[in-house]
Amino acid sequence: DELMEVVAEALTEDFEPIANIAGRIEGEDVTVAKVQYRLRKLAEAGRAEKSEITIPATEGSKARKVVGYRAIV
């Protein structure tokens, strides 16, 4: 799958939220849901690592926890 390889190349060595990873991928039919699916498949295949990360609080919002992914090097 071509999008799977593009998603794999977009991963860095640091855990990042799915939305940040999806934001780096260009294409007409690329959605957060499609990227999320590929990230899950990459994690199952041992090519990516999944973890819960904390987004710090900012003015007007509380800290929150989201799922993040990173490349396995």
Side-chain angles (χ1 to χ4, degrees), residues 9-62:
E9 291 174 14
L11 292 173
T12 64
E13 294 182 13
D14 299 319
F15 283 107
E16 292 183 287
I18 296 166
N20 290 11
I21 298 166
R24 286 198 300 270
I25 300 172
E26 296 181 16
E28 291 179 13
D29 61 341
V30 175
T31 64
V32 173
K34 288 181 181 181
V35 172
Q36 182 177 9
Y37 172 79
R38 268 61 176 199
L39 287 167
R40 184 173 55 85
K41 289 297 185 182
L42 287 167
E44 289 173 0
R47 296 178 60 194
E49 187 176 0
K50 175 181 175 180
S51 180
E52 190 174 83
I53 56 176
T54 301
I55 307 264
T58 60
E59 269 188 53
S61 70
K62 295 180 179 181

